[in-house]
Amino acid sequence: MPTPSIRTRAFSLIELVVVISVLAIIAAFSVPAVTSMLKGSSLTQSSQLLVDQLNLARQLALSKNTIIEVRFYRYSDPDSPGEDVTNPKAGKFRAMQLFEVIPSGAALPASKFNEFPNSIMLSANREAPDSGISSLLDKGPLKTSDDFAKKDSYHVSLPELPKGIKKQYDFVSFRFMPDGSTTLGPTTLWFLTIHGINDRQSTKDGKVGPPDNFFTVQIDPVTGATKIFRPTAA
């Protein structure tokens, strides 16, 4: 007895187009949400790194009865398209490191080189410091790669950075003293703000403010204590 054939029904072209269209709509809504989530995660990770390193610096100064210097590096990242590693001035503040200052004046690494995620930077506007949102980087003394040719013990001890950057970088620094205080001026409010590299400061009623998503740390120059501000989190 012959076996009856089983007929299967395939999808029509119209049905396939409808399914593909639905998937495209879902993807269009999902990609921005995922991107925003990843940016928020990178900002959270960076803010934790910043706060942990500042607290560690103060703790080391107190516990070891020594001077701890905190450096914030500005450089051009060879892994970022369009950036020239030989031109640190056109780069961004994107890493930090702690140093112990010994009696001879030399500074020895007290922590590893800590780089923020590629999508995150420390905000800085030295050209218009009063409109910036990181007063420590906007107004703090800047040591440039041109200074590094000096032969004193401080400059001789400057480390080379990884990824081929070597000593092609600038940095702003301040110090925690053995009593926990800092070398920052007591009459200024000292802030550090981090945000996405592609985020721009906002302007409202003629006043310049931070981007929509940011993280700010205020450092008390007298006690070295930190206060955290993050009005908007992704």
Side-chain angles (χ1 to χ4, degrees):
M1 182 176 180
T3 303
S5 60
I6 299 175
R7 299 181 64 183
T8 58
R9 180 177 178 274
F11 290 107
S12 68
L13 178 60
I14 294 177
E15 289 173 326
L16 288 174
V17 170
V18 170
V19 171
I20 293 173
S21 299
V22 171
L23 291 176
I25 292 172
I26 294 174
F29 282 100
S30 300
V31 170
V34 171
T35 301
S36 178
M37 183 179 66
L38 292 175
K39 287 176 63 178
S41 176
S42 294
L43 188 61
T44 299
Q45 177 186 345
S46 301
S47 62
Q48 191 63 56
L49 170 62
L50 177 60
V51 172
D52 286 349
Q53 287 296 297
L54 290 174
N55 289 338
L56 175 61
R58 185 173 184 273
Q59 180 183 348
L60 288 174
L62 288 167
S63 62
K64 299 182 68 173
N65 192 36
T66 189
I67 297 172
I68 298 295
E69 182 170 286
V70 185
R71 297 180 186 173
F72 300 96
Y73 294 118
R74 179 176 71 178
Y75 55 89
S76 293
D77 188 348
D79 294 335
S80 297
E83 295 195 21
D84 179 6
V85 72
T86 64
N87 186 13
K89 185 177 180 180
K92 298 174 177 64
F93 284 94
R94 59 206 336 156
M96 63 185 298
Q97 190 172 9
L98 309 184
F99 291 82
E100 180 179 357
V101 182
I102 60 177
S104 67
L108 306 178
S111 76
K112 67 177 183 179
F113 170 76
N114 289 288
E115 187 176 35
F116 296 108
N118 289 338
S119 60
I120 301 297
M121 62 176 281
L122 282 155
S123 182
N125 189 356
R126 296 189 67 87
E127 290 72 25
D130 291 330
S131 66
I133 51 178
S134 287
S135 55
L136 201 156
L137 300 182
D138 299 335
K139 301 179 181 181
L142 178 71
K143 295 187 182 298
T144 70
S145 54
D146 294 334
D147 298 326
F148 301 165
K150 297 179 180 179
K151 301 302 182 183
D152 57 81
S153 59
Y154 180 86
H155 290 90
V156 168
S157 64
L158 289 173
E160 293 189 351
L161 300 189
K163 301 196 298 186
I165 300 167
K166 298 184 179 180
K167 292 191 177 183
Q168 300 174 111
Y169 62 86
D170 307 329
F171 70 87
V172 171
S173 67
F174 75 98
R175 294 178 175 183
F176 283 97
M177 306 307 288
D179 62 357
S181 64
T182 76
T183 54
L184 299 171
T187 60
T188 302
L189 294 176
W190 298 102
F191 294 95
L192 285 164
T193 299
I194 56 177
H195 56 72
I197 282 182
N198 296 320
D199 295 341
R200 295 292 177 262
Q201 291 181 228
S202 59
T203 303
K204 185 177 181 180
D205 299 328
K207 297 182 180 179
V208 178
D212 291 336
N213 200 6
F214 67 96
F215 181 91
T216 295
V217 176
Q218 180 182 357
I219 303 171
D220 187 313
V222 177
T223 66
T226 57
K227 184 182 295 185
I228 297 170
F229 302 91
R230 190 178 180 183
T232 304

